[in-house]
Short mmCIF file of all heavy atoms in Angstrom, two decimals:
data_model
loop_
_atom_site.label_atom_id
_atom_site.label_comp_id
_atom_site.label_asym_id
_atom_site.label_seq_id
_atom_site.Cartn_x
_atom_site.Cartn_y
_atom_site.Cartn_z
N ILE A 1 0.37 4.28 3.05
CA ILE A 1 1.65 4.94 2.72
C ILE A 1 1.38 6.14 1.83
O ILE A 1 1.93 7.23 2.03
CB ILE A 1 2.61 3.95 2.03
CG1 ILE A 1 2.95 2.79 2.96
CG2 ILE A 1 3.88 4.66 1.58
CD1 ILE A 1 3.69 1.65 2.28
N TYR A 2 0.53 5.95 0.82
CA TYR A 2 0.18 7.05 -0.09
C TYR A 2 -0.64 8.11 0.63
O TYR A 2 -0.37 9.31 0.53
CB TYR A 2 -0.60 6.52 -1.28
CG TYR A 2 -1.13 7.61 -2.20
CD1 TYR A 2 -0.29 8.23 -3.13
CD2 TYR A 2 -2.46 8.02 -2.11
CE1 TYR A 2 -0.77 9.24 -3.95
CE2 TYR A 2 -2.94 9.03 -2.94
CZ TYR A 2 -2.10 9.64 -3.85
OH TYR A 2 -2.57 10.64 -4.67
N LYS A 3 -1.63 7.65 1.39
CA LYS A 3 -2.56 8.59 2.03
C LYS A 3 -1.91 9.39 3.14
O LYS A 3 -2.10 10.62 3.23
CB LYS A 3 -3.76 7.81 2.57
CG LYS A 3 -4.81 8.69 3.26
CD LYS A 3 -5.96 7.84 3.80
CE LYS A 3 -6.98 8.71 4.53
NZ LYS A 3 -8.08 7.89 5.10
N ASN A 4 -1.13 8.72 3.99
CA ASN A 4 -0.65 9.38 5.21
C ASN A 4 0.85 9.66 5.26
O ASN A 4 1.27 10.61 5.92
CB ASN A 4 -1.02 8.53 6.43
CG ASN A 4 -2.53 8.37 6.59
OD1 ASN A 4 -3.28 9.30 6.33
ND2 ASN A 4 -2.97 7.18 7.00
N ALA A 5 1.65 8.84 4.58
CA ALA A 5 3.10 9.04 4.63
C ALA A 5 3.60 9.91 3.48
O ALA A 5 4.51 10.73 3.67
CB ALA A 5 3.82 7.70 4.61
N PHE A 6 3.03 9.73 2.30
CA PHE A 6 3.55 10.43 1.12
C PHE A 6 3.50 11.96 1.26
O PHE A 6 4.46 12.64 0.86
CB PHE A 6 2.81 9.97 -0.14
CG PHE A 6 3.41 10.48 -1.42
CD1 PHE A 6 4.77 10.35 -1.68
CD2 PHE A 6 2.61 11.10 -2.37
CE1 PHE A 6 5.33 10.83 -2.86
CE2 PHE A 6 3.16 11.57 -3.56
CZ PHE A 6 4.51 11.44 -3.80
N PRO A 7 2.44 12.53 1.84
CA PRO A 7 2.47 13.99 2.03
C PRO A 7 3.66 14.45 2.88
O PRO A 7 4.26 15.50 2.61
CB PRO A 7 1.13 14.27 2.74
CG PRO A 7 0.24 13.16 2.29
CD PRO A 7 1.13 11.96 2.21
N ILE A 8 4.01 13.66 3.90
CA ILE A 8 5.16 14.01 4.75
C ILE A 8 6.46 13.79 3.99
O ILE A 8 7.40 14.59 4.10
CB ILE A 8 5.12 13.17 6.04
CG1 ILE A 8 3.83 13.45 6.81
CG2 ILE A 8 6.35 13.43 6.91
CD1 ILE A 8 3.56 12.49 7.96
N ILE A 9 6.51 12.73 3.21
CA ILE A 9 7.69 12.46 2.36
C ILE A 9 7.95 13.62 1.42
O ILE A 9 9.09 14.07 1.25
CB ILE A 9 7.47 11.14 1.58
CG1 ILE A 9 7.51 9.95 2.54
CG2 ILE A 9 8.51 10.98 0.48
CD1 ILE A 9 6.99 8.65 1.94
N LYS A 10 6.88 14.13 0.79
CA LYS A 10 7.02 15.26 -0.13
C LYS A 10 7.41 16.53 0.61
O LYS A 10 8.26 17.30 0.15
CB LYS A 10 5.72 15.48 -0.90
CG LYS A 10 5.41 14.42 -1.94
CD LYS A 10 4.26 14.83 -2.85
CE LYS A 10 2.95 14.93 -2.06
NZ LYS A 10 1.81 15.26 -2.96
N GLU A 11 6.79 16.74 1.77
CA GLU A 11 7.06 17.96 2.53
C GLU A 11 8.53 18.06 2.92
O GLU A 11 9.14 19.14 2.82
CB GLU A 11 6.18 17.99 3.78
CG GLU A 11 6.40 19.22 4.65
CD GLU A 11 5.55 19.21 5.92
OE1 GLU A 11 4.69 18.30 6.06
OE2 GLU A 11 5.75 20.10 6.77
N TYR A 12 9.11 16.94 3.33
CA TYR A 12 10.50 16.96 3.80
C TYR A 12 11.48 16.43 2.75
O TYR A 12 12.67 16.31 3.03
CB TYR A 12 10.62 16.15 5.09
CG TYR A 12 9.89 16.79 6.25
CD1 TYR A 12 8.63 16.35 6.63
CD2 TYR A 12 10.45 17.87 6.94
CE1 TYR A 12 7.94 16.94 7.67
CE2 TYR A 12 9.78 18.47 7.99
CZ TYR A 12 8.52 18.00 8.35
OH TYR A 12 7.85 18.61 9.39
N LYS A 13 10.94 16.12 1.56
CA LYS A 13 11.77 15.65 0.44
C LYS A 13 12.65 14.46 0.85
O LYS A 13 13.87 14.47 0.71
CB LYS A 13 12.63 16.79 -0.12
CG LYS A 13 11.82 17.94 -0.71
CD LYS A 13 12.72 19.02 -1.27
CE LYS A 13 11.90 20.08 -2.00
NZ LYS A 13 10.85 20.71 -1.17
N ILE A 14 11.98 13.42 1.33
CA ILE A 14 12.67 12.24 1.85
C ILE A 14 12.64 11.12 0.82
O ILE A 14 11.56 10.68 0.40
CB ILE A 14 11.98 11.72 3.13
CG1 ILE A 14 11.88 12.83 4.17
CG2 ILE A 14 12.74 10.52 3.69
CD1 ILE A 14 10.91 12.50 5.29
N PRO A 15 13.79 10.61 0.39
CA PRO A 15 13.78 9.43 -0.47
C PRO A 15 13.40 8.19 0.32
O PRO A 15 13.86 8.00 1.45
CB PRO A 15 15.22 9.35 -0.97
CG PRO A 15 16.02 10.06 0.06
CD PRO A 15 15.14 11.12 0.65
N VAL A 16 12.55 7.33 -0.25
CA VAL A 16 12.10 6.14 0.46
C VAL A 16 12.06 4.95 -0.50
O VAL A 16 12.05 5.11 -1.72
CB VAL A 16 10.70 6.33 1.08
CG1 VAL A 16 10.68 7.49 2.05
CG2 VAL A 16 9.63 6.50 0.00
N VAL A 17 12.02 3.77 0.10
CA VAL A 17 11.88 2.51 -0.64
C VAL A 17 10.58 1.86 -0.20
O VAL A 17 10.32 1.74 1.00
CB VAL A 17 13.06 1.55 -0.36
CG1 VAL A 17 12.87 0.25 -1.14
CG2 VAL A 17 14.37 2.20 -0.72
N ILE A 18 9.76 1.44 -1.17
CA ILE A 18 8.50 0.78 -0.86
C ILE A 18 8.52 -0.62 -1.45
O ILE A 18 8.68 -0.80 -2.66
CB ILE A 18 7.30 1.57 -1.41
CG1 ILE A 18 7.29 2.99 -0.82
CG2 ILE A 18 5.99 0.84 -1.08
CD1 ILE A 18 6.18 3.87 -1.39
N ALA A 19 8.38 -1.63 -0.59
CA ALA A 19 8.43 -3.03 -1.02
C ALA A 19 7.03 -3.53 -1.35
O ALA A 19 6.11 -3.41 -0.54
CB ALA A 19 9.05 -3.89 0.08
N LEU A 20 6.87 -4.10 -2.55
CA LEU A 20 5.56 -4.49 -3.06
C LEU A 20 5.46 -5.99 -3.30
O LEU A 20 6.40 -6.62 -3.80
CB LEU A 20 5.27 -3.75 -4.37
CG LEU A 20 5.32 -2.21 -4.30
CD1 LEU A 20 5.14 -1.62 -5.68
CD2 LEU A 20 4.27 -1.68 -3.34
N VAL A 21 4.30 -6.54 -2.95
CA VAL A 21 3.99 -7.96 -3.15
C VAL A 21 3.10 -8.06 -4.39
O VAL A 21 1.96 -7.60 -4.38
CB VAL A 21 3.29 -8.55 -1.92
CG1 VAL A 21 2.93 -10.02 -2.16
CG2 VAL A 21 4.16 -8.41 -0.68
N GLY A 22 3.62 -8.68 -5.45
CA GLY A 22 2.92 -8.69 -6.73
C GLY A 22 1.53 -9.29 -6.68
O GLY A 22 0.58 -8.73 -7.24
N LYS A 23 1.38 -10.40 -5.99
CA LYS A 23 0.09 -11.09 -5.96
C LYS A 23 -0.98 -10.22 -5.32
O LYS A 23 -2.14 -10.21 -5.76
CB LYS A 23 0.23 -12.41 -5.21
CG LYS A 23 -1.05 -13.23 -5.13
CD LYS A 23 -1.55 -13.66 -6.50
CE LYS A 23 -2.77 -14.56 -6.40
NZ LYS A 23 -3.32 -14.91 -7.73
N TRP A 24 -0.63 -9.47 -4.29
CA TRP A 24 -1.60 -8.61 -3.62
C TRP A 24 -2.05 -7.49 -4.55
O TRP A 24 -3.21 -7.12 -4.59
CB TRP A 24 -1.01 -8.03 -2.34
CG TRP A 24 -0.68 -9.06 -1.31
CD1 TRP A 24 -1.04 -10.39 -1.32
CD2 TRP A 24 0.06 -8.87 -0.10
NE1 TRP A 24 -0.56 -11.04 -0.22
CE2 TRP A 24 0.12 -10.14 0.56
CE3 TRP A 24 0.69 -7.79 0.48
CZ2 TRP A 24 0.77 -10.31 1.78
CZ3 TRP A 24 1.35 -7.95 1.69
CH2 TRP A 24 1.39 -9.20 2.34
N LEU A 25 -1.10 -6.92 -5.31
CA LEU A 25 -1.44 -5.82 -6.22
C LEU A 25 -2.25 -6.31 -7.40
O LEU A 25 -3.11 -5.59 -7.93
CB LEU A 25 -0.16 -5.14 -6.71
CG LEU A 25 0.73 -4.48 -5.66
CD1 LEU A 25 1.94 -3.84 -6.32
CD2 LEU A 25 -0.04 -3.46 -4.84
N GLU A 26 -1.99 -7.53 -7.84
CA GLU A 26 -2.66 -8.06 -9.02
C GLU A 26 -4.07 -8.54 -8.71
O GLU A 26 -4.90 -8.71 -9.62
CB GLU A 26 -1.84 -9.22 -9.60
CG GLU A 26 -2.20 -9.58 -11.02
CD GLU A 26 -1.22 -10.57 -11.63
OE1 GLU A 26 -0.68 -11.41 -10.89
OE2 GLU A 26 -1.01 -10.50 -12.85
N SER A 27 -4.37 -8.75 -7.43
CA SER A 27 -5.70 -9.22 -7.05
C SER A 27 -6.75 -8.17 -7.42
O SER A 27 -6.51 -6.96 -7.35
CB SER A 27 -5.75 -9.50 -5.55
OG SER A 27 -4.82 -10.51 -5.20
N LYS A 28 -7.94 -8.64 -7.78
CA LYS A 28 -9.01 -7.74 -8.23
C LYS A 28 -9.75 -7.11 -7.05
O LYS A 28 -9.79 -5.89 -6.91
CB LYS A 28 -9.99 -8.51 -9.11
CG LYS A 28 -9.38 -9.10 -10.36
CD LYS A 28 -8.87 -8.03 -11.31
CE LYS A 28 -8.33 -8.65 -12.60
NZ LYS A 28 -7.74 -7.63 -13.49
N ASP A 29 -10.37 -7.93 -6.21
CA ASP A 29 -11.22 -7.41 -5.14
C ASP A 29 -10.75 -7.78 -3.74
O ASP A 29 -10.85 -7.00 -2.81
CB ASP A 29 -12.65 -7.92 -5.32
CG ASP A 29 -13.24 -7.50 -6.66
OD1 ASP A 29 -13.13 -6.31 -6.99
OD2 ASP A 29 -13.79 -8.37 -7.36
N LYS A 30 -10.25 -9.01 -3.61
CA LYS A 30 -9.87 -9.51 -2.30
C LYS A 30 -8.41 -9.94 -2.29
O LYS A 30 -7.86 -10.36 -3.31
CB LYS A 30 -10.75 -10.70 -1.90
CG LYS A 30 -12.25 -10.41 -1.87
CD LYS A 30 -12.62 -9.48 -0.73
CE LYS A 30 -14.14 -9.28 -0.68
NZ LYS A 30 -14.53 -8.35 0.42
N VAL A 31 -7.79 -9.87 -1.11
CA VAL A 31 -6.40 -10.28 -0.94
C VAL A 31 -6.32 -11.26 0.22
O VAL A 31 -6.90 -11.01 1.29
CB VAL A 31 -5.49 -9.06 -0.66
CG1 VAL A 31 -4.08 -9.51 -0.27
CG2 VAL A 31 -5.43 -8.14 -1.87
N ASP A 32 -5.62 -12.36 -0.02
CA ASP A 32 -5.34 -13.31 1.06
C ASP A 32 -4.11 -12.80 1.80
O ASP A 32 -2.98 -12.95 1.37
CB ASP A 32 -5.09 -14.70 0.48
CG ASP A 32 -4.89 -15.75 1.58
OD1 ASP A 32 -4.69 -15.37 2.75
OD2 ASP A 32 -4.92 -16.96 1.26
N PHE A 33 -4.35 -12.17 2.93
CA PHE A 33 -3.29 -11.51 3.70
C PHE A 33 -2.98 -12.37 4.92
O PHE A 33 -3.63 -12.30 5.95
CB PHE A 33 -3.76 -10.12 4.12
CG PHE A 33 -2.76 -9.33 4.93
CD1 PHE A 33 -1.59 -8.86 4.35
CD2 PHE A 33 -2.99 -9.06 6.26
CE1 PHE A 33 -0.68 -8.12 5.09
CE2 PHE A 33 -2.08 -8.34 7.02
CZ PHE A 33 -0.92 -7.87 6.42
N SER A 34 -1.97 -13.24 4.74
CA SER A 34 -1.55 -14.14 5.82
C SER A 34 -2.73 -14.93 6.38
O SER A 34 -2.88 -15.08 7.60
CB SER A 34 -0.86 -13.35 6.94
OG SER A 34 0.28 -12.69 6.45
N GLY A 35 -3.59 -15.43 5.48
CA GLY A 35 -4.72 -16.25 5.90
C GLY A 35 -5.98 -15.47 6.19
O GLY A 35 -7.03 -16.06 6.44
N HIS A 36 -5.91 -14.13 6.15
CA HIS A 36 -7.08 -13.28 6.36
C HIS A 36 -7.48 -12.65 5.03
O HIS A 36 -6.64 -12.05 4.34
CB HIS A 36 -6.79 -12.19 7.40
CG HIS A 36 -6.34 -12.72 8.73
ND1 HIS A 36 -7.21 -13.28 9.63
CD2 HIS A 36 -5.11 -12.78 9.30
CE1 HIS A 36 -6.55 -13.66 10.71
NE2 HIS A 36 -5.27 -13.37 10.53
N ILE A 37 -8.74 -12.75 4.67
CA ILE A 37 -9.21 -12.18 3.42
C ILE A 37 -9.61 -10.73 3.66
O ILE A 37 -10.51 -10.45 4.47
CB ILE A 37 -10.40 -12.99 2.86
CG1 ILE A 37 -10.01 -14.46 2.69
CG2 ILE A 37 -10.85 -12.40 1.52
CD1 ILE A 37 -8.80 -14.70 1.81
N ILE A 38 -8.93 -9.81 2.97
CA ILE A 38 -9.21 -8.39 3.13
C ILE A 38 -9.45 -7.77 1.76
O ILE A 38 -9.16 -8.38 0.72
CB ILE A 38 -8.04 -7.66 3.84
CG1 ILE A 38 -6.76 -7.79 3.01
CG2 ILE A 38 -7.82 -8.22 5.24
CD1 ILE A 38 -5.60 -7.00 3.57
N THR A 39 -9.95 -6.55 1.73
CA THR A 39 -10.25 -5.89 0.47
C THR A 39 -8.98 -5.37 -0.19
O THR A 39 -8.03 -4.97 0.48
CB THR A 39 -11.22 -4.72 0.68
OG1 THR A 39 -10.64 -3.80 1.62
CG2 THR A 39 -12.55 -5.21 1.23
N ARG A 40 -8.98 -5.39 -1.51
CA ARG A 40 -7.81 -4.96 -2.30
C ARG A 40 -7.45 -3.51 -2.04
O ARG A 40 -6.26 -3.14 -2.11
CB ARG A 40 -8.12 -5.19 -3.79
CG ARG A 40 -7.17 -4.53 -4.78
CD ARG A 40 -5.75 -5.07 -4.67
NE ARG A 40 -4.85 -4.46 -5.62
CZ ARG A 40 -4.26 -3.26 -5.46
NH1 ARG A 40 -4.49 -2.55 -4.35
NH2 ARG A 40 -3.44 -2.79 -6.37
N ASN A 41 -8.42 -2.67 -1.70
CA ASN A 41 -8.13 -1.24 -1.55
C ASN A 41 -7.31 -0.91 -0.30
O ASN A 41 -6.97 0.24 -0.07
CB ASN A 41 -9.42 -0.42 -1.58
CG ASN A 41 -10.36 -0.75 -0.43
OD1 ASN A 41 -9.98 -1.40 0.55
ND2 ASN A 41 -11.61 -0.30 -0.55
N LYS A 42 -6.99 -1.93 0.50
CA LYS A 42 -6.09 -1.70 1.63
C LYS A 42 -4.64 -1.55 1.16
O LYS A 42 -3.77 -1.15 1.94
CB LYS A 42 -6.17 -2.86 2.62
CG LYS A 42 -7.51 -2.95 3.37
CD LYS A 42 -7.69 -1.81 4.35
CE LYS A 42 -8.96 -1.98 5.17
NZ LYS A 42 -9.15 -0.85 6.12
N PHE A 43 -4.40 -1.88 -0.11
CA PHE A 43 -3.05 -1.78 -0.68
C PHE A 43 -3.02 -0.72 -1.77
O PHE A 43 -4.06 -0.30 -2.29
CB PHE A 43 -2.61 -3.14 -1.22
CG PHE A 43 -2.49 -4.19 -0.15
CD1 PHE A 43 -3.56 -5.03 0.14
CD2 PHE A 43 -1.35 -4.31 0.61
CE1 PHE A 43 -3.48 -5.99 1.14
CE2 PHE A 43 -1.25 -5.24 1.62
CZ PHE A 43 -2.33 -6.08 1.89
N LEU A 44 -1.81 -0.30 -2.12
CA LEU A 44 -1.63 0.79 -3.07
C LEU A 44 -2.26 0.47 -4.43
O LEU A 44 -2.15 -0.65 -4.93
CB LEU A 44 -0.14 1.07 -3.27
CG LEU A 44 0.58 1.70 -2.07
CD1 LEU A 44 2.09 1.60 -2.25
CD2 LEU A 44 0.15 3.16 -1.88
#
């Protein structure tokens, strides 16, 4: 969202809502994503 959508959001001055999952953001290195372990940097 930050890498690919936010530049377009700024260009067209579009207000948006971003829904965040606290546990995923608070994780240090890995995130349990619906049973799949992925790296934390996949999230904001």
Side-chain angles (χ1 to χ4, degrees):
I1 298 170
Y2 174 79
K3 180 181 178 182
N4 298 323
F6 188 50
I8 299 169
I9 290 167
K10 288 191 294 183
E11 179 182 354
Y12 293 99
K13 296 181 173 57
I14 305 165
V16 301
V17 180
I18 301 176
L20 303 175
V21 178
K23 181 63 176 176
W24 296 350
L25 298 181
E26 197 171 32
S27 300
K28 299 296 183 184
D29 301 311
K30 302 290 184 181
V31 171
D32 184 346
F33 180 70
S34 300
H36 303 284
I37 304 303
I38 61 174
T39 57
R40 167 63 179 81
N41 63 14
K42 292 291 185 181
F43 296 93
L44 291 165

